């Protein structure tokens, strides 16, 4: 049951017909793993903590640098040089002491991915490189965990939800991340944000939308982004959505899968 303090803290959620007391209690029971405490992970962690998600796991092996602060709003100037997971955990504790934070001071890899994911209900991927995105997506498939994943460029971003371990209403498998993006782009073709730049507020927009999609998945209202890719164009302030479906030739869950474990991720 929610305490009197929690009833007041979450009052604006509880009066929502789509959330209510049962929805708020579902958030309190939830365990969410956020990969990366950077530009996307920062707003995800803050909004999930504010929403009352019971347990937040955060995995990051980096430290806070001054150039991070233009977009990674969970950290402050005084945190420069600190491990991001420590800074993030402290900020979450100040925002909502009811939230349990589990820190993973490591880089996700093929050896530890599935074991870490098994401790959570859903995964939010805010990583900034293709190798990690594909590793996370594949690991979620094998661990049977839903995945909310987003990416940003200089003035654009994308967001989708992957439940590839489940089937849709038509009886067909839900699409995998590889059904949408079969292969990562060749190395060097997409510059890192340190080279190309990134609009700080754009990370806030996509990170907040990730948090919204995670809350929607956990509470169970509305229509999610399984099989749909939301695309944001910040230059034109335009939002578009395209649909994608299971590809029977995809190497993960296709009719003749060639990826049967995470050994392809070196």
């Amino acid at each position: 049951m929610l305490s009197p303090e929690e009833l007041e803290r979450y009052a604006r959620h509880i009066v929502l017909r789509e959330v209510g007391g049962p929805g708020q209690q579902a958030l309190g029971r939830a365990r969410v793993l956020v990969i990366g405490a950077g530009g996307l992970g920062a707003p995800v962690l803050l909004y999930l903590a504010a929403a009352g998600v019971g347990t937040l796991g955060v995995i990051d092996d980096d430290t806070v640098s001054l150039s991070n602060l233009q977009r990674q709003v969970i950290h402050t100037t005084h945190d420069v040089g600190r491990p991001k997971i420590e800074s993030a955990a402290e900020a979450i504790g100040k925002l909502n002491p009811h939230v349990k934070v589990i820190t993973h001071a490591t880089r996700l890899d093929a050896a530890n991915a599935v074991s870490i994911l098994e401790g959570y209900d859903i995964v939010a991927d805010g990583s900034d490189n293709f190798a990690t995105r594909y590793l996370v997506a594949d690991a979620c498939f094998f661990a049977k965990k839903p995945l909310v994943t987003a990416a940003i460029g200089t003035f654009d971003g994308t967001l989708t939800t992957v439940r590839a371990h489940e089937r849709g209403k038509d009886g067909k498998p839900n699409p995998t991340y590889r059904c949408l993006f079969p292969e990562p782009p060749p190395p060097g073709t997409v510059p890192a944000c340190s080279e190309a730049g990134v609009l700080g507020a754009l990370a806030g927009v996509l990170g907040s939308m990730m948090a919204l999609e995670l809350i929607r998945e956990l509470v169970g209202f509305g229509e999610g982004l399984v099989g749909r890719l939301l695309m944001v164009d910040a230059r034109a302030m335009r939002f578009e959505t395209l649909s994608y479906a299971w590809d029977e030739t995809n190497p993960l869950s296709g009719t003749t899968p060639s990826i049967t474990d995470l050994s392809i991720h070196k």
Side-chain angles (χ1 to χ4, degrees):
M1 298 294 292
L2 297 171
S3 68
E5 180 189 342
E6 289 174 306
L7 288 172
E8 181 177 356
R9 179 183 287 269
Y10 307 126
R12 301 303 186 273
H13 269 177
I14 294 169
V15 297
L16 289 170
R17 183 177 61 184
E18 292 84 356
V19 180
Q24 190 60 53
Q25 290 176 321
L27 292 174
R29 293 189 299 269
R31 299 173 60 87
V32 180
L33 176 65
V34 179
I35 299 172
L40 293 171
V44 170
L45 288 165
L46 289 173
Y47 272 109
L48 292 185
V53 169
T55 301
L56 290 175
V58 54
I59 179 168
D60 201 307
D61 66 346
D62 199 5
T63 57
V64 179
S65 65
L66 193 59
S67 63
N68 295 152
L69 303 183
Q70 167 252 14
R71 64 201 176 280
Q72 300 181 19
V73 294
I74 202 168
H75 313 295
T76 71
T77 303
H78 295 292
D79 295 318
V80 171
R82 293 181 69 190
K84 288 183 179 179
I85 56 169
E86 290 183 10
S87 172
E90 182 177 303
I92 292 168
K94 290 178 179 179
L95 177 60
N96 190 345
H98 299 286
V99 176
K100 178 182 178 181
V101 181
I102 300 174
T103 57
H104 302 273
T106 186
R107 181 176 291 273
L108 205 71
D109 59 32
N112 64 21
V114 171
S115 62
I116 292 176
L117 267 57
E118 284 178 344
Y120 298 91
D121 303 316
I122 191 168
V123 178
D125 182 15
S127 60
D128 62 358
N129 64 87
F130 291 103
T132 302
R133 288 177 197 146
Y134 280 84
L135 168 63
V136 172
D138 291 349
C140 284
F141 174 76
F142 290 118
K144 295 181 171 55
K145 302 294 180 180
L147 168 66
V148 175
T149 179
I152 55 173
T154 51
F155 289 93
D156 60 279
T158 59
L159 171 66
T160 192
T161 296
V162 181
R163 302 184 72 104
H165 58 289
E166 299 174 348
R167 291 180 177 268
K169 294 179 180 179
D170 59 2
K172 294 182 179 180
N174 284 333
T176 70
Y177 186 75
R178 291 179 181 273
C179 294
L180 178 61
F181 302 115
E183 297 289 340
T189 58
V190 179
C193 73
S194 59
E195 302 171 356
V198 62
L199 194 64
L202 178 64
V205 170
L206 267 296
S208 297
M209 295 183 79
M210 287 179 74
L212 176 58
E213 177 68 356
L214 286 157
I215 292 169
R216 194 208 55 74
E217 282 280 318
L218 292 168
V219 176
F221 61 84
E223 180 184 0
L225 288 173
V226 173
R228 299 194 299 149
L229 178 71
L230 176 67
M231 299 176 292
V232 179
D233 179 351
R235 285 191 180 92
M237 200 54 76
R238 184 172 60 210
F239 292 72
E240 296 182 358
T241 306
L242 64 80
S243 297
Y244 64 99
W246 174 66
D247 178 3
E248 65 179 14
T249 67
N250 89 80
L252 194 63
S253 67
T255 52
T256 55
S258 58
I259 299 175
T260 56
D261 55 36
L262 298 179
S263 60
I264 66 165
H265 297 279
K266 304 300 183 182

